[in-house]
């Protein structure tokens, strides 16, 4: 398995052609040609945190906040499953809904629709994670964002990388399949720390990892900064595939947002094997503004990207 120096070499020096081919070869050997398509439901844009990079931060008073009602969440989940999504991903900002309310939704989706439920609702109390696990949720996405503890503290006022990692360990111990991941091109992030991000995903033995370029967002403290490059994000996707071959990796929405025509197909060609298609009702989705020009990837987009990358899917009604 590659160590830090080799990962740095993959990120910086390896010719793009051979890096991409190696990552694609490992992806096909480990995962086959099939691309999993998840149904993403962004059920609330309320958030108590103030991550410096994110448009949903609590202090951003310029966006309209929403929390979808239970019936709307369940109806959208049904649509996602009918269209061929293999899991429903329920995503929201942190700490602005009732844990029991979400447990009821999880119970309803797992019992009625028969698909796994993935949660992505941030750092929560162990008791809440337990409650949702008992209700039937069995996957959880919580990106570590950056493995550089000092940078993490700067970007997340009042929070620590240590607590983030503790949450990931608790989730694993409760029997969740766990997803982490990170951004590429954050202000103050070094290439060495991106190599460490990859090593951390391997050390945590994560089941899933989402890697996306940082995209500056208006109305946040990092609005004027430079964003991350799609090229470096793709190199990181490939390097993670080589370092941790069994991981499920999405071609992220951030990649699609930088290059709407080809971003996701490129992600698949560089080592990704998962896509997330949004089933968030459109008038809510327009307020889920994590960053500017966030793409809304639908099932048609997903199918097109998969076909363009020469891979296979089981999507219906498209
Ligand atoms: N650019 C790119 N990705 C972002 N995220 C949040 N803000 C941004 C941004 N400005 C990512 C974080 C978070 C995920 C839901 O979106 O990694 O975990
Ligand atoms: Fe909230 Fe997540 Fe945005 Fe941070 S990244 S402000 S936790 S929605």
């Amino acid at each position: 398995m590659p160590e830090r120096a080799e990962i740095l070499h993959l990120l910086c020096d390896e010719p793009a052609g051979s890096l991409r081919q190696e990552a694609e070869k490992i992806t096909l050997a480990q995962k086959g040609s099939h691309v999993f398509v998840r149904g993403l439901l962004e059920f609330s844009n309320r958030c108590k945190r103030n991550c410096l990079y994110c448009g949903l931060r609590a202090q951003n008073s310029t966006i309209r906040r929403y929390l979808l009602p239970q019936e709307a969440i369940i109806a959208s989940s049904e649509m996602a499953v009918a269209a061929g999504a293999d899991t429903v991903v329920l995503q929201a900002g942190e700490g602005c809904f009732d844990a029991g309310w979400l447990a009821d939704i999880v119970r309803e989706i797992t019992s009625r629709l028969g698909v796994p439920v993935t949660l992505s609702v941030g750092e929560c109390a162990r008791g809440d994670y337990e409650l949702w696990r008992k209700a039937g949720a069995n996957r959880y996405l919580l990106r570590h964002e950056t493995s550089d503890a000092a940078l993490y503290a700067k970007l997340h006022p009042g929070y620590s990388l240590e607590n983030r990692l503790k949450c990931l360990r608790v989730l694993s111990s409760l029997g969740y399949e766990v997803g982490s991941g990170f951004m590429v091109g954050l202000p103050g992030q070094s290439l060495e720390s991106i190599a460490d991000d990859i090593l951390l995903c391997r050390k945590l033995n994560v089941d899933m990892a989402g890697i996306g370029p940082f995209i500056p967002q208006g109305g946040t403290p990092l609005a004027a900064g430079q964003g991350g490059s799609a090229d470096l994000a793709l190199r990181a996707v490939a390097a993670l595939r080589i370092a941790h071959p069994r991981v499920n990796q999405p071609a992220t929405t951030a990649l699609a947002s930088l290059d709407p025509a080809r971003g996701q197909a490129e992600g698949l060609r560089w080592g990704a094997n998962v896509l997330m298609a949004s089933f968030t009702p459109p008038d809510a989705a327009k307020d889920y503004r994590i960053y500017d020009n966030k793409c809304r990837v639908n099932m048609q987009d997903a199918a097109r990207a998969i076909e363009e990358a020469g891979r296979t899917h089981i999507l219906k009604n498209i």
Side-chain angles (χ1 to χ4, degrees):
M1 279 294 127
E3 293 313 321
R4 195 171 189 241
E6 290 156 76
I7 291 175
L8 263 174
H9 173 83
L10 296 179
L11 290 174
C12 308
D13 303 321
E14 180 74 16
S18 57
L19 177 60
R20 194 200 71 72
Q21 274 171 21
E22 175 69 5
E24 189 175 50
K25 191 177 92 192
I26 297 174
T27 309
L28 293 174
Q30 289 283 327
K31 301 287 170 183
S33 167
H34 179 73
V35 175
F36 298 102
V37 180
R38 322 298 196 196
L40 175 63
L41 198 46
E42 295 137 327
F43 68 88
S44 175
N45 65 352
R46 296 183 191 158
C47 188
K48 67 172 190 199
R49 286 178 66 152
N50 274 298
C51 307
L52 260 54
Y53 46 78
C54 177
L56 304 189
R57 62 203 307 276
Q59 283 168 11
N60 184 0
S61 56
T62 67
I63 56 170
R64 190 186 64 100
R65 302 284 174 169
Y66 69 84
L67 173 67
L68 295 181
Q70 278 182 338
E71 311 76 62
I73 297 173
I74 289 162
S76 293
S77 303
E78 273 172 354
M79 278 169 53
V81 173
D86 55 25
T87 176
V88 172
V89 181
L90 301 180
Q91 187 173 73
E94 205 168 292
C96 291
F97 54 86
D98 180 73
W101 172 88
L102 182 59
D104 288 343
I105 294 172
V106 170
R107 222 171 278 118
E108 182 80 9
I109 296 175
T110 46
S111 63
R112 205 136 66 81
L113 302 182
V115 290
V117 170
T118 305
L119 294 179
S120 175
V121 296
E123 290 179 35
C124 306
R126 184 191 175 94
D128 292 348
Y129 289 153
E130 239 163 358
L131 179 71
W132 300 327
R133 181 77 188 95
K134 285 199 185 116
N138 64 349
R139 300 179 191 174
Y140 203 100
L141 306 179
L142 184 73
R143 291 183 175 182
H144 69 259
E145 313 292 4
T146 172
S147 58
D148 175 337
L151 180 59
Y152 188 98
K154 254 192 233 161
L155 296 174
H156 306 96
Y159 292 84
S160 68
L161 179 63
E162 195 187 339
N163 199 59
R164 194 82 171 170
L165 299 183
K166 192 172 130 211
C167 287
L168 287 167
R169 279 193 294 272
V170 168
L171 287 161
S172 283
S173 75
L174 292 172
Y176 283 97
E177 279 183 38
V178 171
S180 186
F182 55 91
M183 279 174 281
V184 165
L186 288 163
Q189 184 185 41
S190 66
L191 284 163
E192 284 77 8
S193 92
I194 298 176
D196 290 339
D197 285 319
I198 290 168
L199 288 170
L200 182 56
C201 287
R202 183 169 83 195
K203 183 168 148 217
L204 295 170
N205 195 16
V206 293
D207 302 291
M208 304 160 272
I211 301 176
F214 159 62
I215 301 174
Q217 158 68 1
T220 70
L222 302 182
Q226 250 208 323
S229 80
D231 280 354
L232 186 57
L234 289 171
R235 281 182 165 268
V237 168
L240 178 64
R241 174 61 65 206
I242 293 167
H244 186 36
R246 74 167 190 88
V247 74
N248 281 321
Q249 280 201 85
T252 54
T253 310
L255 270 176
S257 299
L258 285 190
D259 180 357
R262 292 179 46 252
Q264 294 217 301
E266 282 298 285
L268 295 174
R269 296 175 71 241
W270 283 74
N273 68 315
V274 173
L275 289 180
M276 305 252 224
S278 172
F279 280 84
T280 308
D283 60 328
K286 74 175 168 19
D287 293 316
Y288 201 81
R289 298 180 52 151
I290 294 183
Y291 47 80
D292 274 337
N293 307 321
K294 183 169 178 284
C295 245
R296 188 167 182 275
V297 177
N298 62 27
M299 279 292 186
Q300 284 81 3
D301 302 324
R304 201 177 314 118
I306 295 168
E307 285 155 20
E308 228 174 271
R311 307 273 279 280
T312 54
H313 61 78
I314 52 153
L315 300 179
K316 302 165 212 159
N317 309 325
I318 47 169

